[in-house]
Every structure is written in C-alpha cells, then in structure tokens.
Amino acid sequence: MKKLYYLIRMTFQTKFAYIKAFWFNIFGTAVSILIYYFLWKYVFQSRDELNGFTAVEITTYVIISRLLSSQFSGGINREFSEWVQKGNIVVELLRPVPLVFTLFGKRVGEFLFFILFKGIPVSILATFILGGTGPDGAANFALFLISVFISIGLMFWIEVMVGLISFFTLNSYGIGYTKTALMSILSGGIVPLFLFPEGVEKVLDYMPFAGMVSVPVHIYLGKYTAAEAFSFIGLQIIWVALLGIGVMAFYRFAIKKVVVQGG
Amino acid sequence: MRWKYYAKLWLCYMRIGLLCMTQYPADTLIWLISMIVREACGFIGILAVASVTGGLGTWGFYEICLLFSMCAVIEAIGQAFFDNVWSIDKMIRRGEMDVFLIRPASPFVQMLGQIMHFQAVLSMVVYVGILAWSIHGIGLSVGVREIVLLVEYVIFGTVINSGIYTIFNSLNFWIVQGDDIAVLVQTCREFVKYPLQVFPAAIQGFFTYVLPLGFVAYYPVLGLLGRTDMPVMILLPCVAALVAGIAAVIWRLGLKGYNSTGT
Amino acid sequence: MQIEVNHLVKEYKRKKDPGSVGKALASMFHPQYDVFRAVDDINFQIRKGEAVGYVGPNGSGKSTTIKMLSGVLTPTAGKVLVNGLEPSKNRMKVNKHVGVVFGNRSVLWWDVPVIESYRVLQQLYEIPENRFRQNLEEFTELMEMEELLGTPERQLSLGQKMKCNIAAAFLHDPEIVYLDEPTIGLDSESKYKIRKFIRRMNEERKTTFIVTSHDFQDIESLCRRIILINHGKLVVDDKIENVRKNFDRRKQIRLELENNPWNQKTVFEIPGVEILHSQESELVLEFDSEENDSIRIINLIAEKTRILDVSINGQDIESIIRDIVKQDNRK
C-alpha cells in the first residue's frame, strides 16, 4: 500500500510539472463537449425525446461521456513503450516491485488526478453552464462511482496491451492515436451506443469498452434498473479478470522477447 | 520569384519525402490507419447523430459525408506538405533556421521541403474516394462551375488552412512557445468539420470573419450544393490572399527579427 | 579583396532583469534593455585563396561574425562586403558561392541515402550535372567515401557523417567556405583525412577558408593566418609564424636529474622562474625568455646536482593564444 501511495504521489508531481499540457487537455475536452452539445441541441429542436433521453439527459450524457473518454488519450501505454525504446525497461525490471504493479500505480495516480482536477470541476461547471442534470438518486450515484472505479482496471489492461504491441513497431504514437479513437467510438464516448444499428449495439453493450463510458453514464442517469446495473457491473468485473489473464500471458511472452533482444 | 527553379526544387524535396516513407513500410501503414481512424471517429459520431432524424436539418447523409471528406482532404494536404510549420519553434530554438539562411533559396520553401509526410497522401486518396462517392450520392451534376469550385477549394482551402497554421506558429519568433496558440487554434478547428449553421451565431461569425477556417470546406460545400447566396467562388481567392498575405508579412517580420537578434 | 569587414559592430538587446514584481509588471509595457556588444568595431580583410583561423574563447563573438558574413545576422553598424556585396542585403546572391560546415549539425536527411541529399543540394545550388559528377567523383576518392553515398545518414559513424557533410559544402564549387568546428569529436584518422581534403581544396581550387575551431591542430594545419578576438574586439591579426615569434616568450625546461634538490618544492631560487612539476628525478621549469636565460638556470642546477638530460621547449600556439587572452582580459 505504501508503495502504491508513493507511485501515486510521483504521478501527481509529474502531472503538476506539466501543468500546461493539462490546460490544453481541458481546452480540448471543452471544445468537444461544446460541439456535441450544439449538435444535439440542433437535433432536439424538432423533437422532445430520443430513445428515452430528454434534451437535458443528452446534455448530461455528452458532458460525462466526453470527460470519461478524454482519459483514453492518456494512459500508460506510451510511457510503457518508451521504456522499451529508450532501454529504461531494464532498470524497471530490476526493481523489487513487479513492473505491472509500478504501471498500475501510475495509472491509478493518473486516474485520481483526472477525477480531482478535471472530472469533478469540469462536470459541475459544464452541468451548470449547459444545463445538465445531476445523478438519478444517491444509490445510482454510488453505483456510478463504483463502475467508474472498476473501469480503471479495463483501461489499464488495454493500455498494457497497446504498450506491448507498440514494442514491435517504431510508431507508438500512431498506435496510441488508433487506440484513443477506437476506444472512444466503441465505448459510447462519442455518441450513445443506441444510435448504432441494433446488432452492433447489442455486441458493443457486452464488450469491455462499454464498461468505461456507456455503463457508468447510463447508471448515472438512472437508465438501468437495479438488476441491470448490478449485472453490468458484474460483467465489468468479469472483463477485468479475463483481460488480466490474457494480457499477462501476452506480457510474459513479449517481455521475454524484449529482454532477449536486449531492449 | 523563379517559378521553374522552385518547382524543380519542390520535386527534389518530394522525392526525399517519398524515399523516407518507403524506409519504414510498417510505420507508414500504422500512420495511415491511425489517421483514418482518427478522422473516422468524429465522422461516425455526426453520422450517428444525423441518422436519428435522417439528417441534421437540411444536411442529409451524403452532404455530411461531403463536408467531412472535403475537410479531411485539406487537412491531409497540410499534413503532407506543410507540416513542418509546426517545427518553427524547434528550429528557432536549435538555430536550425541558420542552415536555410545560408543557402540561395527561400527559407520558407526550404523549411516546408525539409519534412514531408507522404503517408498523408495515401490517406488523402481515401478521402477523395469518399468525396467522389458523396457527390455521386447527392446526385450533384458536375459541370464547369462545380469543377472550378472544387479546384478553387483544393488550392485556396489549403492556403487558408496552412496559412493560419503558419501565422500562429510564426509567433514563435517573438514569444517563447508561441506554438501553444497554434495548438489551441488546431483544437478549435474541430468545429468546422461540422455544419457551421448548427452552432450559435457567435461561433459561426468567429470562423467566418475572425479565423476564416469556415472557408476551408464549409462554404465551398455550401457553394457546391447551391445553398448560399455568398459568391463563394470570388470569396475563396480573396480570403486565401488575405490569409497568405498576413502569413507572409508575419513570417518575413519574424525572419527579419531573427536576422537582428539571432535568437 | 574577397572579404572586407569595416568597423563591424553587432549589439544584442537583452531584457533587463526587473528585480521586483512591480518593476516586472512595468517592464511588460516599457521593457528595459541591457545592450550587449557581441562584436565591437572589428576590421579585417581576406584575400581570395587565404585560409584564416578565426579564434577566441567561447562567447567572444566568433560565430556572430560568421553569421554576419553569411547574411544570417544583420550588422548593427559597420559594413561587410563579400565579393563586393553586402550579405545582409543580397543574402541569396552572396551565399550561392559560399559553403558552410557546422561541426555539430548535419545538413543531410537522416533517413535517405547520402547521395539523395546531395541531389537536393544540386538543385538548390543549380549545379550542372557534369560538374556535380566530377566533384562527387573527386571528393569520394579523396575522402574514401564511395560506400557511404548509398547509405542513409542514420547508419553512418560520426566521422563518416562529417565527411559527407564536408563534401556537401563543396559540391557547388564555393569560393568561400566557413568551417565551424569541423573536426569536433572525431577520431584522429577522420581528422587527418578531413584536414587533407580541406588543404587540397585550398591549394588547388583557391577556395577561401575561415576556420573557427578550438582544436589548434586544425588551425595550425589548415591556416597560415590567425585572427583572434576577445570580448568582441580584435586582438591579433597576423601570420601564425609572426604570432609565435612575437608572443612566444615563455619557455619550458624539462630536466632529468640524478637526484632532485627541489623535490616537492614549489619555489625556485631565481625570481620569475616557476616550478611546474617536480619529482624525485624530474624537474619542469617555466620562465619568460626576455627576463631570464636558460643557460643561467641550467648552470645553477648543474652546481647542485648532475643533469642527465635536458630539453627546452617553446609554447605551442594554443597556450600562446591562451596567454594573449589572459593578458587582454587584464586590460
């Protein structure tokens, strides 16, 4: 636990050192919230309701989904693949802490920083300015928070995997961009999944990506019954476990290869 | 200006750019995929939104595709041939401008030629395909007027787009890290990928009169569709000339300042 | 005269450190500047075919001068003429016949074979095809770089990179070439080849050279004339042999002694003679040849012990220059 605390603290310090990048990030998120806010406003000029969503609920969806999915452009995959390219991986492997644990500590730090300095302030501000709605009751809010916290696990394993894939290419930036874009679309971070064709929507609902944006936002807005909410959260947990097993197997294989090649 | 000389020089630079691309085929492929997926991200979003009502107001499916592809074509041309304006900051700091100044050719042309991303030409081919498909889908009869407008749009849209990036990146001659402003401008550019009429008048006015990015694709599309009274064909070259003029003045002033301080 | 520099001055403005927050705010609207003279009233002339070493400590204004000669910087006052033209006003015209080699910066493309970079230069300087081929052939032979041409720069060693960059600066038959630290960080074999190449260009093509380098072997083997500047002012402008004659006053005596009475001592009996080094059987002394003479010193030593071996050395050009700069700084 103490080690985790230090890793989180270190991540916070790095984030503060690059505080300018953080402002740019907020600006980018604000622009993307505004764009979709206006697009939806335009759509709702000629209707009152869409698939059970009112204009206010859609506004809330836009704010929270854009915020949650703005995490996808960060993550540890880039730093992880840089370690290999610059050869620092050897130093990291020699530490008495497992490499995956170090990475996880960094990821949790990044997530906490996001929640404290971006998630909470921006969502409150945007909700007041653009006219969104609060959570649908305390119980749903609690479930929403649980779901968001579990989504760290999903993001973490996917980022480790992307980082491992980047080992084998020169262009970790390109892979990173692809990851960001794909995750945004598939998680419902850009538009709600119900806008996709029905078959696609069904599949995406049960994929791990939905657990990062679509599931928490639906819970927040009270669109799921208690039973649905619990089963989706259960599914999230199952995905974390499955991804963990798969990615760790890939990890062992890839690290061995990297170490043999000498980084 | 010695047109023939610069045309030949440009061909030499293109040759280098092509060779660089073929050096890393895997990298090129990743680049291509990541760029297209990134564009597709916003594209899928607006198409999904529009599909709810079968279109956004007067904007049908194919019209949105047209706007998006026309926007992406210009961005791809910029990435291919004008991307090095983003290195102005780095070049000033490292004194790399000196190398261009000790040669008997325009430093601006040399700077642009230094780095080309031919990968972007490949992604452009994809966007041009979508563009043609959209025109076909709309059932637009392509006559002389449309061809002239399309040619104008490619030339002047590129000048406006890359000219604006040049202007803001050239601020680095005076202020440290002036390219931050350029990054903000690039973020704002997201707005003009969508039909501007969806946004409030202030945003529309901003992208028409202050930062004329609306002329990159939005107004040419309106012109093609015959939906505006604006004389787009006359306005395009005028706006382009204005932007290019300002860019040239700022670049020259910056270089002159560089000549006197060397920093 | 190919290069004429008359009363050349370059001043830089530096924002003053405001010192307090209030002054800092005020300085946003009314900036205060310190004026710093990087080049201070310099005059010299260089004939066609000369090779000149342009030396001085770091920050003395060497590269500022070179930048003004090549039109990168505009002079604050004074005049530069290169082939009768002012570089700051006719930059491209002047630089068509000028080559520059930066020891710490490459002008080639990282990812493509060297020859492809040369092709761009061919177009940039509009070098006729047969001239380009002739030059390329000659250079590759002189510096033994045939295999390098087909290799991307990223696969070359530092020495190979430098060879390619030097050849690149000569492809367009420049009349004047500025060499900025041309052999920095290279092994002696590469240094030798590069110096040989430059000397050859100077002798056969009458190319004018201005060499700035901290490596005095570069200067000595390439140049016959030396210009020394310090704090932006010209201190010495003379032939290297004259500099040596006029300033080489300090001499060193190295003695091998049977037993050394000055072992571990730091003071020698004769004033003005310094002990540089003293061990059981070895003694190194330094003195000013105008104040003392070596015979007197050796006689004194011979009275006290048996001398096994003696050698007397003058200074090398590097330490002469160091002394001149030291003296100049005292002024």
Side-chain angles (χ1 to χ4, degrees), chain A residues 40 50-51 191-198 201, chain B residues 45 48-52:
Chain A
W40 280 117
L50 177 68
N51 207 33
V191 287
L193 295 177
F194 62 73
L195 288 181
F196 292 122
E198 213 183 306
E201 187 209 340
Chain B
V49 174
S51 70
V52 174

Side-chain angles (χ1 to χ4, degrees), chain A residues 43-65:
Chain A
V43 168
F44 273 85
Q45 273 175 5
S46 55
R47 58 168 62 228
D48 303 324
E49 180 266 353
L50 177 68
N51 207 33
F53 279 71
T54 62
V56 172
E57 285 173 331
I58 278 288
T59 301
T60 311
Y61 187 97
V62 167
I63 294 168
I64 298 183
S65 67

Side-chain angles (χ1 to χ4, degrees), chain A residues 224-242:
Chain A
Y224 288 151
T225 61
E228 277 175 327
F230 279 114
S231 51
F232 271 119
I233 290 176
L235 185 67
Q236 272 186 294
I237 296 170
I238 294 172
W239 269 120
V240 173
L242 284 179

